Amino acid sequence: MTPAVAVTDLVKRYKKNPKPAVDGLSFEVRSGEVFGLLGPNGAGKTTTVGVLTTLVIPDSGSATVEGVDVVKNPTKAHELFAVVPQRNNLDRSLNIRQNLVFHAQYHGVGRAERNRLADEILERMGLADRAKDKIDIVSGGQAQRVMIARALMHRPKVLFLDEPSTGLDPQARLFVHDRITDLRADGVTVVLTTHDMDEAAKLCDRVGIVDHGKLLALDTPAALTRSLPGSTTVGVTVSLAGVQPEAVADALSTVDGVERVEEVADGPSTSDSGQFRLYTESEPAVALPLVLKVLSGLSCDVTDLSIGTPSLEDVFIHLTGRELR
Amino acid sequence: MNSVSLRTFGAVLWRDVFVTGREMLPFLAQVIVQPFFTLFIFGKVLTSIGYVGGNYAEILLPGIVALNGFLGALQNTTMPLIMEFSWTREIEDRLLAPISVPLVAVEKMLFGALRGIVAALVMVPVGFLILDGVSWPASTWLPITGIVVLGSLVGAAIGMVIGTSVPPQRINILFAVILMPLMFTGSTQFPWAQLDHLRWFQVVCALNPLTYVSEAMRAELVPHVPHIPIWVSLLVIVASCGLFGALGIRGFIRRALN
């Protein structure tokens, strides 16, 4: 089956910037999935979407949408995708509904059909009572909804969303998330860029982590978090009953399956209890019985036990580093 | 141009016409007020006081109509482009329609030219009302309309070049540095052929495509006044359309695509 989006060895350099914005990027998006491009600011996400939506010309490599080469045949590609950009680029000379109707007209949707569709989509996007409002007076969240509504007017097969929830309040964010989920149910392929881990983890079937214009990892959010070295942790709190914390840590680190033990300095250590974080190689459940056995051997009672799995954020920071952009 | 492009071209052009239709009064004010005062002061006030010869009005009106078409088309191409390419990037929705980028540029020029044509044609009755003793025979209406159309097209093409090369933050110097010189070196207020005692200025005027529009108008309407042969004027106008049109489209593509 033709992938919905295919990017191969894509390179884009901007003038005045010696470092390429996109540097040999390749990935494929399957038809019908929600795909996230995750990366820090300046990683090359928006440039990649720019190439896929034909407004950025790559220096080399190729990009296709539904099998159509976007560089060689942009006009044909325009019929297949729609894009919701980061910035409000709505037509300020038109009102909300006219923005939708004219967009459909540019795409050859017949008069009766585009009027019907506009009303239906305005209703679905919660904009029915704002239809005649001027673009100048809509808020950021409403503008985002209008742009999504406009994008849907020509029934695209692939929808690109660049940072869909940046700057939105929690209600608007949730609303946008729900609409993305609806689109997936309708069979529309969605490609979104974000630096919001929770958003990516919640919405995306697969996530590509990008930095410095290169793909660092690509998989489902769950697989990405599993792949992190020392991927799971066990937190134990014990009452020490006179045993030195160092001795407990040493004993725990001898347990099979435990990679590393950290004593958690949690404020002024209250004489009697100690907190430890154990990094395990595989499932924590494997190491847990042995851990408990070692602790009872030292006569330390376990007062609290927690199992932590890393988040996508841990994967992200692990791959892209902590430095500020 | 295939049928999809043609349909989209029509839709994009309709958007511009639709938007203009709702702001008809500001548009008419924009194109009538300035030339009205030019005609009134130079064609009426100065002639009636006697500083300017009585037949000056019949030389002035063809030039002002040419100027209004040319400059109207130029401004109405340049201004929307600067706005739509500024940070709001409103034009993107049309760049992403199923139509090639050069055709969007052609649409912008065609629409600018349409506004220029309207601007030129409304000046004709205004001129007849203000000025005494000026009339254009019916036999000249058709060729005059043709010259106005060509003059507006070349104005729009130059407007496309300017609109895609002037950054939005420089918009205020556009008038002083580009439009004013274009207005006063376009032989609209004087016959170019009679400038031979002011050779350097004649050469400067010969570089302005507007000169040939004005001269073509006068060749039709006041043939007894010395003028550039009409075939030369028409040739230069058509060549300018091609040259500036191509440059404008190139500039448009450069602004549209990164």
Side-chain angles (χ1 to χ4, degrees):
Chain A
M1 197 161 97
T2 321
V5 171
V7 169
T8 315
D9 301 326
L10 199 68
V11 177
K12 174 63 186 180
R13 282 183 191 82
Y14 288 110
K15 277 175 227 155
K16 296 173 192 162
N17 195 344
K19 277 183 156 178
V22 175
D23 192 7
L25 192 64
S26 302
F27 64 88
E28 278 187 8
V29 178
R30 295 169 194 149
S31 193
E33 74 176 335
V34 176
F35 184 90
L37 272 177
L38 190 60
N41 291 328
K45 308 183 297 285
T46 297
T47 299
T48 305
V49 170
V51 171
L52 284 165
T53 57
T54 75
L55 294 181
V56 175
I57 307 293
D59 291 302
S60 64
S62 74
T64 63
V65 172
E66 293 286 327
V68 174
D69 188 318
V70 298
V71 181
K72 294 195 183 105
N73 198 351
T75 310
K76 178 73 190 156
H78 292 167
E79 297 177 26
L80 300 168
F81 72 76
V83 57
V84 178
Q86 267 180 64
R87 283 187 321 195
N88 174 352
N89 71 349
L90 293 166
D91 194 330
R92 271 150 228 273
S93 307
L94 304 174
N95 67 27
I96 289 180
R97 191 172 186 280
Q98 285 163 350
N99 261 279
L100 269 53
V101 174
F102 270 98
H103 177 89
Q105 197 177 352
Y106 302 154
H107 285 270
V109 179
R111 182 192 300 272
E113 172 72 358
R114 63 182 180 248
N115 282 321
R116 190 190 64 71
L117 209 54
D119 292 332
E120 178 195 315
I121 292 176
L122 284 171
E123 186 67 47
R124 186 157 23 123
M125 297 304 287
L127 292 164
D129 53 342
R130 315 288 314 254
K132 294 215 164 95
D133 281 6
K134 288 209 144 235
I135 295 302
D136 294 322
I137 64 163
V138 303
S139 70
Q142 285 160 350
Q144 184 77 4
R145 268 144 67 197
V146 178
M147 287 195 287
I148 295 175
R150 179 181 67 180
L152 300 180
M153 285 295 292
H154 70 279
R155 304 183 187 283
K157 289 196 161 59
V158 180
L159 180 64
F160 294 96
L161 295 145
D162 199 3
E163 308 265 348
S165 55
T166 303
L168 299 189
D169 60 32
Q171 289 84 351
R173 226 169 82 92
L174 276 178
F175 188 87
V176 168
H177 287 177
D178 288 348
R179 296 294 80 74
I180 292 172
T181 310
D182 290 350
L183 285 170
R184 186 181 183 280
D186 289 346
V188 177
T189 307
V190 177
V191 177
L192 58 90
T193 74
T194 182
H195 47 70
D196 182 332
M197 315 299 141
D198 296 337
E199 182 169 275
K202 175 181 165 190
L203 294 175
C204 299
D205 296 307
R206 291 190 309 146
V207 170
I209 297 182
V210 185
D211 198 15
H212 302 299
K214 291 190 162 84
L215 188 71
L216 303 177
L218 194 165
D219 216 323
T220 61
L224 283 172
T225 49
R226 267 203 308 275
S227 71
L228 197 65
S231 67
T232 44
T233 59
V234 179
V236 282
T237 308
V238 296
S239 57
L240 291 167
V243 184
Q244 285 300 308
E246 290 77 19
V248 178
D250 285 347
L252 288 173
S253 61
T254 61
V255 173
D256 273 350
V258 174
E259 283 185 330
R260 194 156 58 84
V261 180
E262 238 174 44
E263 193 190 344
V264 183
D266 196 17
S269 129
T270 42
S271 58
D272 198 35
S273 82
Q275 250 188 58
F276 303 89
R277 185 180 293 140
L278 283 59
Y279 293 85
T280 61
E281 279 161 9
S282 52
E283 291 294 302
V286 179
L288 213 46
L290 286 169
V291 168
L292 294 175
K293 199 173 162 196
V294 166
L295 288 171
S296 73
L298 290 165
S299 316
C300 296
D301 290 337
V302 176
T303 56
D304 190 38
L305 187 69
S306 64
I307 294 173
T309 49
S311 66
L312 204 49
E313 179 161 335
D314 298 318
V315 182
F316 186 79
I317 294 293
H318 174 76
L319 289 171
T320 63
R322 281 185 173 273
E323 70 190 286
L324 286 174
R325 311 299 163 117
Chain B
M1 191 152 46
N2 61 30
S3 65
V4 173
S5 289
L6 192 67
R7 182 201 70 205
T8 310
F9 188 91
V12 172
L13 185 63
W14 165 241
R15 179 261 174 208
D16 284 340
V17 172
F18 175 81
V19 169
T20 302
R22 294 184 325 179
E23 45 188 44
M24 207 58 202
L25 279 177
F27 167 62
L28 286 177
Q30 183 207 340
V31 299
I32 289 180
V33 174
Q34 192 267 343
F36 168 84
F37 279 107
T38 308
L39 280 180
F40 182 68
I41 299 296
F42 291 92
K44 180 83 175 181
V45 176
L46 293 187
T47 50
S48 65
I49 303 176
Y51 281 106
V52 175
N55 66 341
Y56 179 59
E58 66 177 21
I59 289 173
L60 184 62
L61 185 58
I64 293 297
V65 172
L67 176 71
N68 231 25
F70 177 88
L71 219 57
L74 188 151
Q75 279 180 274
N76 281 297
T77 310
T78 299
M79 291 307 186
L81 270 185
I82 293 180
M83 304 298 275
E84 292 187 291
F85 268 128
S86 70
W87 68 276
T88 64
R89 301 279 297 181
E90 282 174 63
I91 203 165
E92 273 179 358
D93 196 33
R94 279 155 281 160
L95 294 176
L96 293 174
I99 182 172
S100 67
V101 174
L103 276 178
V104 180
V106 170
E107 184 279 330
K108 284 281 151 201
M109 287 191 276
L110 185 64
F111 176 70
L114 278 176
R115 285 180 68 136
I117 292 164
V118 173
L121 295 181
V122 297
M123 270 330 281
V124 178
V126 173
F128 289 164
L129 284 174
I130 305 173
L131 306 172
D132 301 319
V134 177
S135 63
W136 294 356
S139 64
T140 60
W141 291 355
L142 195 64
I144 286 304
T145 307
I147 295 165
V148 164
V149 169
L150 283 175
S152 299
L153 282 172
V154 76
I158 294 173
M160 174 66 64
V161 175
I162 297 171
T164 54
S165 50
V166 174
Q169 59 269 34
R170 294 271 182 285
I171 197 165
N172 47 351
I173 64 162
L174 177 75
F175 286 92
V177 177
I178 299 174
L179 294 194
M180 281 299 153
L182 275 177
M183 272 175 78
F184 286 102
T185 60
S187 308
T188 54
Q189 306 93 340
F190 46 82
W192 180 84
Q194 290 175 305
L195 289 175
D196 40 10
H197 60 287
L198 208 60
R199 187 54 105 181
W200 70 269
F201 187 59
Q202 195 175 34
V203 172
V204 171
C205 291
L207 296 175
N208 185 344
L210 176 55
T211 291
Y212 302 91
V213 187
S214 309
E215 286 289 300
M217 291 287 283
R218 280 192 292 261
E220 268 307 309
L221 292 168
V222 280
H224 55 277
V225 176
H227 55 78
I228 299 172
I230 191 156
W231 68 268
V232 174
S233 291
L234 292 179
L235 194 70
V236 174
I237 295 171
V238 171
S240 302
C241 278
L243 174 69
F244 290 105
L247 285 175
I249 290 173
R250 219 179 62 174
F252 188 88
I253 294 172
R254 208 183 50 232
R255 289 298 296 273
L257 306 178
N258 228 317

